[in-house]
Amino acid sequence: MHDPTELRLLDAWEKGLLQQAVNRALSLLKVGYPEQSMKTLAGITIGERDARLLMLRQALFGFRMTSTTKCPACSERLEWESNVSDLLVRQVDPPPDCASGASQRAADLLEITVEKYRIKCRLPNSDDLFFSAGQTDARVMRKQLIERCLIEATTEDGESMSFDQLSETALQAVVEEMETADPQANLQIDLSCPACGHCWAVVFDIVSYLWAEIDAWAQRMLRTVHLLAKRYGWREADILAMSPMRRQIYLEMARQ
């Protein structure tokens, strides 16, 4: 991963303001992997995408992360800290090289035997999520994802079967195998309320978490650029080219 520049990060933030969450995640990912095409980044699994976004978060804001939520039982506010390493389920692998034709890694392919079916499929990626974006029915979205990821389905005798012929049990088995094969895509954190003792699990969404941090950072950065440009007449590019320490010193002087 490349060290992200502030200018590149601001450009990604500006694009992200008008994007859905799926494309917003790819815009942020592009900050850390500018040499990779959007097609390549969109083709990696959701777990791989989220692991890369965690690494980007560490590069931008450090390894320590603070999260908050409310207890669903008593509404007590909870705050906890995590390290990026605690949230990484597996090592980050290089993105597949689409130019060479190696667009699908063997580790991303699943073979499932359930009931009378033998099913071959791949793990979902960002393109699949984009296809289902806006779908509010979780059952429909699940079926859409499985159908897009399905490679082949046959009976034990080798008879080809269509997606519509698969039973609900078979579809559920596919979902469970996907979650097992790509646990980073559905990262859950176990919590316990100190006030009432209620225990539950929350899904950690790195896309929304990182976007909230970048949005707050971008707003601060734009105010800084505005103040220094107004005070000294400098261009945005000149201000962003400064080191954070030097920029802060000028900012304090401009406020005097």
Side-chain angles (χ1 to χ4, degrees):
M1 186 181 72
H2 291 254
D3 290 334
T5 65
E6 291 177 328
L7 180 58
R8 189 178 296 137
L9 187 59
L10 276 176
D11 287 342
W13 168 78
E14 185 177 358
K15 291 179 182 177
L17 291 173
L18 301 176
Q19 290 177 321
Q20 296 178 332
V22 177
N23 285 341
R24 181 179 289 172
L26 293 176
S27 292
L28 296 181
L29 201 60
K30 184 73 171 174
V31 173
Y33 298 88
E35 79 285 358
Q36 294 290 333
S37 69
M38 292 297 283
K39 179 180 179 181
T40 297
L41 294 175
I44 63 177
T45 68
I46 300 304
E48 186 73 17
R49 180 203 70 177
D50 288 357
R52 292 178 179 282
L53 288 176
L54 278 166
M55 296 302 296
L56 175 63
R57 195 278 173 190
Q58 179 170 293
L60 291 172
F61 304 114
F63 64 88
R64 186 170 298 174
M65 306 173 68
T66 301
S67 304
T68 60
T69 190
K70 285 187 177 181
C71 173
C74 69
S75 298
E76 177 76 7
R77 183 178 181 274
L78 277 74
E79 179 177 301
W80 72 95
E81 285 193 351
S82 306
N83 289 338
V84 168
S85 59
D86 298 332
L87 302 178
L88 281 172
V89 176
R90 68 177 189 181
Q91 294 294 320
V92 176
D93 299 322
D97 183 4
C98 290
S100 66
S103 59
Q104 194 68 53
R105 295 175 303 193
D108 300 338
L109 301 176
L110 304 176
E111 294 190 11
I112 304 161
T113 301
V114 54
E115 294 183 330
K116 61 180 180 179
Y117 310 106
R118 292 179 178 175
I119 302 170
K120 294 182 180 180
C121 62
R122 59 175 175 78
L123 293 174
N125 56 39
S126 295
D127 280 337
D128 302 318
L129 292 186
F130 181 78
F131 179 83
S132 300
Q135 178 57 252
T136 57
D137 190 319
R139 289 172 59 88
V140 174
M141 181 178 180
R142 184 191 68 164
K143 287 187 175 182
Q144 288 178 342
L145 286 175
I146 297 174
E147 185 172 11
R148 281 183 57 85
C149 295
L150 181 66
I151 298 174
E152 181 184 50
T154 62
T155 65
E156 294 176 343
D157 298 327
E159 180 184 352
S160 180
M161 303 191 70
S162 68
F163 172 80
D164 293 332
Q165 291 176 295
L166 298 178
S167 68
E168 187 64 27
T169 300
L171 296 180
Q172 183 58 35
V174 171
V175 171
E176 292 173 359
E177 286 293 327
M178 286 179 171
E179 291 179 348
T180 299
D182 199 18
Q184 190 80 62
N186 187 33
L187 183 62
Q188 299 192 25
I189 300 176
D190 294 325
L191 297 176
S192 177
C193 178
C196 70
H198 178 69
C199 297
W200 77 105
V202 295
V203 176
F204 179 77
D205 180 12
I206 181 57
V207 177
S208 60
Y209 185 99
L210 180 56
W211 175 256
E213 288 188 311
I214 290 177
D215 184 56
W217 168 86
Q219 297 289 348
R220 292 193 303 270
M221 182 59 68
L222 290 183
R223 286 194 293 270
T224 296
V225 170
H226 169 74
L227 182 58
L228 293 181
K230 183 178 180 180
R231 178 67 174 82
Y232 299 108
W234 295 332
R235 299 179 307 155
E236 179 187 69
D238 296 329
I239 297 171
L240 294 177
M242 297 178 185
S243 67
M245 181 177 294
R246 183 180 300 181
R247 188 189 302 128
Q248 183 61 35
I249 292 174
Y250 277 122
L251 185 60
E252 293 174 358
M253 294 172 62
R255 287 172 174 168
Q256 294 176 358

